[in-house]
Amino acid sequence: MCLVQTHPTANVRLREAPQLAPSTRRGFRSIVAGGLTGGINICIVFPTEFIKTQLQLDSGKNIMTAHHSVMFPYRATVLESKNVKLFNGSADVVKKTINAKGLKGMYKGVSVLLCGSVPTYSIRFGVFDLLKGHFSGRDGNLSPLARLGCGMGTGVAEAVLLVTWVETLKVRLISDQKKKVPQYRGLGHAASSIVRNEGPLGLYKGFTPTVLKQGSSQAIRFSVMESLRSWYTGGDNNKSVPKPFVAMFGAIAGGASVLGNTPVDVVKTRMQNGSYSSSLECARQVARNEGVRGFYKGCLPRMNRVCLEVGLAFVIYDTVMEVFKTVWPSK
């Protein structure tokens, strides 16, 4: 008699390994692509930045006007103070600048912004890709909170490393051309003069509002942009977004950031012009002298510039990265 021991057959389930999304860490390519994006972008949109800065710096001049009575025509009886603005709007800035200094006047200070925009965009896209690589999920997507955090970290990094002193030099050069006898001969002379007269910290005037502005700007922009991309692709990182939609999403993201932080930008610009001792004093003076509307001076030209700039930036960046996939593939 043969005894055969049988074992119940175990049911074995084979699970398919989860398919990971393509890596969001694009390394040095993101830095190079960001630099190229910044250089191309700033050459297109700088005139609108010039208009915005001129309007924000135009706090007006108080002019005393004498009023004479009928009984004493040769004797002033009442003195009236009136605040007169230099410009009556964006078109007036363009007209007066071109009449006085030609088309080149609209590009006064562009060398500062051009030298600053290339490394700024390198830092911006490089840092964001680095943070996104660390905080994205297994599917390669960021949570809403992570989008805000990565954008905020990106803005703070670029403000600390570069944006503050570049913006200070830009504002000083644009403001300097209003004077009958300009003080600065160029970028290098402006930087050396500020350091000599005010110390190295003179280049970091408006540091706090700049950090707040850049941090909030990039938090809003990247959060809105990533959300719109995710909505369009359904969370599929293998699906590309057409360039017209990239431009539209970028413009929406840029417009949202303008509405969110123009008051901070006004305080930053006034501080970098060297007219106030602190950000709080600047905000109080603007509120007292110009009211709530003073915090939104230059909002329209800034909106035009930022929507154009951000929409172009994401289109240029995506295009450069697509080219890099062919000529500079990742390992």
Side-chain angles (χ1 to χ4, degrees), residues 98-321:
I98 292 179
N99 288 341
K101 304 190 177 183
L103 186 60
K104 291 176 64 176
M106 295 295 298
Y107 280 87
K108 181 71 173 180
V110 70
S111 59
V112 183
L113 211 57
L114 187 60
C115 292
S117 66
V118 172
T120 297
Y121 272 84
S122 294
I123 294 171
R124 180 174 300 169
F125 283 103
V127 170
F128 183 79
D129 269 4
L130 175 66
L131 294 175
K132 184 177 180 180
H134 280 289
F135 293 103
S136 59
R138 293 178 66 84
D139 59 355
N141 294 315
L142 292 168
S143 67
L145 185 60
R147 291 168 191 161
L148 281 171
C150 291
M152 177 70 75
T154 298
V156 171
E158 65 185 39
V160 172
L161 295 175
L162 203 70
V163 173
T164 303
W165 61 267
V166 169
E167 287 284 306
T168 298
L169 289 175
K170 180 204 72 174
V171 171
R172 292 289 184 94
L173 282 172
I174 291 177
S175 179
D176 187 57
Q177 73 170 331
K178 289 183 174 183
K179 301 176 182 178
K180 293 182 179 180
V181 181
Q183 179 182 356
Y184 305 125
R185 295 191 297 269
L187 170 61
H189 182 246
S192 62
S193 297
I194 293 172
V195 171
R196 183 172 58 254
N197 298 328
E198 306 173 35
L201 291 180
L203 293 173
Y204 275 83
K205 274 202 167 184
F207 174 74
T208 300
T210 301
V211 169
L212 291 175
K213 178 209 167 189
Q214 294 302 120
S216 59
S217 286
Q218 302 314 320
I220 295 171
R221 288 178 195 177
F222 278 108
S223 180
V224 172
M225 189 66 190
E226 288 291 309
S227 297
L228 291 173
R229 281 186 191 272
S230 180
W231 166 77
Y232 185 88
T233 62
D236 183 3
N237 287 304
N238 294 307
K239 183 178 179 180
S240 62
V241 181
K243 295 300 183 293
F245 282 95
V246 173
M248 183 177 66
F249 292 164
I252 293 172
S257 69
V258 170
L259 293 176
N261 68 7
T262 291
V264 177
D265 187 51
V266 170
V267 173
K268 173 196 73 71
T269 302
R270 299 282 181 92
M271 282 293 299
Q272 288 171 332
N273 192 36
S275 303
Y276 304 92
S277 59
S278 70
S279 302
L280 184 58
E281 182 206 351
C282 178
R284 286 175 177 171
Q285 290 288 340
V286 173
R288 181 164 54 247
N289 299 331
E290 304 173 52
V292 176
R293 294 181 63 182
F295 287 103
Y296 281 88
K297 290 187 74 173
C299 181
L300 181 59
R302 184 178 177 229
M303 176 76 76
N304 295 335
R305 177 188 68 83
V306 170
C307 289
L308 175 62
E309 177 187 346
V310 177
L312 279 173
F314 280 109
V315 170
I316 296 169
Y317 181 78
D318 283 4
T319 302
V320 172
M321 291 302 292

Side-chain angles (χ1 to χ4, degrees), residues 54-74:
Q54 289 282 32
L55 288 174
Q56 288 182 343
L57 292 176
D58 185 21
S59 57
K61 293 182 179 180
N62 289 323
I63 298 178
M64 303 298 294
T65 304
H67 292 268
H68 304 270
S69 67
V70 178
M71 296 181 62
F72 303 99
Y74 301 104

